[in-house]
Amino acid sequence: MGEWRLPHTYRSDSGEVRWGSLGEPGRDPVVLLHGTPFSSHVWRAVARALARRHQVFFWDMPGYGTSEQSAGQDVSLAAQGRVFAGLLAHWDLPQPPLVAAHDFGGAVALRAHLLHGARYRALALVDPVALAPWGSPFFRLVGEHSAVFEQLPPALHRALVREYVASASGPGLHPAVLDRLVEPWSGEAGQPAFYRQIAQADQRYTDEVQGRYGEIDLPVLVCWGEEDTWIPVAKGRELAALIPGAEFEPLAGAGHLVQEDAPAELTAALGDFFRRVR
């Protein structure tokens, strides 16, 4: 399958962003957004499949994956929405893209569209963080005591992150995949970055746009893993009901990390949705 590479850089107000693309230039563009605490790596199987028909763009948000991690960095939803709008302008695509956004990336895509004027031809939201209330008890505990957690011994920190990331999957992650997803959060830069992104997570950033979902005037698909224990599938149905004309598609056997749990089913759902967009 080859190595997952993000060879390009974009300098944002929140630090250097790494990005890549697959597929023939000039084809119908698709843009993929990852969630937290993940990176674009979770989209690799879906991206390679979609690249048969599209030029697929993917990126690691500031503070995540291979992008810059630094002390004092703004990695909030507010910052990521601005960064994404800027990145789209930087790409200067020949037409508004088809966008698929997972988890925290869903909120980023929604904010960029509703607050910063980012234009899409269609939007697929995959188990997004979009409706209040959100944040698990663990998430809230870490957010309130991030400075304490940053001081954990590295081995204990890595075990905590490994357990947390693993819980996003319904059937369970392959050990090599789990290692790859945990690795960016290790080391002198990665450990504080993990707690930084949780400390800056604030529901007010979705509260600012939740009341405007009825204004969305483009094709929207809401996909949801039926076994999602992070955000229950009922939230997906609720979200779809708030967006005019939105379609809802549950994915059986998948947890929150749908790209790993059901990549073929998710690819089929996205491919069918994008083909129907004119």
Side-chain angles (χ1 to χ4, degrees), residues 157-168 178 182 230:
H157 160 75
R158 188 176 181 88
L160 182 152
V161 176
R162 191 176 182 87
E163 186 67 23
Y164 180 53
V165 171
S167 71
L178 185 54
V182 170
W230 284 21

Side-chain angles (χ1 to χ4, degrees), residues 35-47:
T36 181
F38 313 111
S39 70
S40 63
H41 184 74
V42 301
W43 281 112
R44 65 199 180 284
V46 176

Side-chain angles (χ1 to χ4, degrees), residues 10-18 31-40 59-70 72-89 91 99 101-118 120 129 134 185 193-194 196-202 205-206 208-209:
Y10 165 70
R11 173 56 60 176
S12 79
D13 291 342
S14 287
E16 186 178 87
V17 171
R18 300 295 301 268
V31 177
L32 305 175
L33 289 81
H34 67 81
T36 181
F38 313 111
S39 70
S40 63
W59 59 298
D60 286 351
M61 296 182 196
Y64 293 78
T66 59
S67 289
E68 181 178 332
Q69 297 175 330
S70 57
Q73 188 176 20
D74 187 354
V75 295
S76 67
L77 271 171
Q80 304 290 7
R82 293 192 301 268
V83 170
F84 182 47
L87 185 59
L88 286 175
W91 285 333
V99 173
H102 176 244
D103 180 78
F104 180 92
V108 172
L110 288 165
R111 286 184 62 90
H113 177 64
L114 292 169
L115 299 181
H116 304 296
Y120 317 139
V129 174
W134 54 267
W185 302 119
F194 178 78
R196 184 182 306 121
Q197 52 93 18
I198 294 179
Q200 293 185 27
D202 193 321
Y205 295 127
T206 53
E208 289 173 356
V209 293

Side-chain angles (χ1 to χ4, degrees), residues 150-236:
E150 284 183 28
Q151 299 176 54
L152 287 174
L156 185 57
H157 160 75
R158 188 176 181 88
L160 182 152
V161 176
R162 191 176 182 87
E163 186 67 23
Y164 180 53
V165 171
S167 71
S169 171
L173 297 171
H174 188 284
V177 171
L178 185 54
D179 286 344
R180 180 67 181 265
L181 297 179
V182 170
E183 193 278 331
W185 302 119
S186 303
E188 292 185 8
Q191 180 164 340
F194 178 78
Y195 299 111
R196 184 182 306 121
Q197 52 93 18
I198 294 179
Q200 293 185 27
D202 193 321
Q203 186 179 293
R204 68 188 172 94
Y205 295 127
T206 53
D207 290 344
E208 289 173 356
V209 293
Q210 183 172 331
R212 298 184 58 184
Y213 293 161
E215 301 174 20
I216 297 174
D217 185 22
L218 69 160
V220 173
L221 172 69
V222 178
C223 289
W224 218 279
E226 289 189 324
E227 307 304 320
D228 189 340
T229 59
W230 284 21
I231 312 176
V233 68
K235 283 289 185 183

Side-chain angles (χ1 to χ4, degrees), residues 23-24 27-30 48-56 271 275:
E24 185 177 325
R27 285 182 174 174
D28 203 8
V30 168
R48 286 168 175 144
L50 291 175
R52 296 175 182 177
R53 294 176 177 268
H54 302 271
Q55 185 177 14
V56 181
R275 278 191 294 273

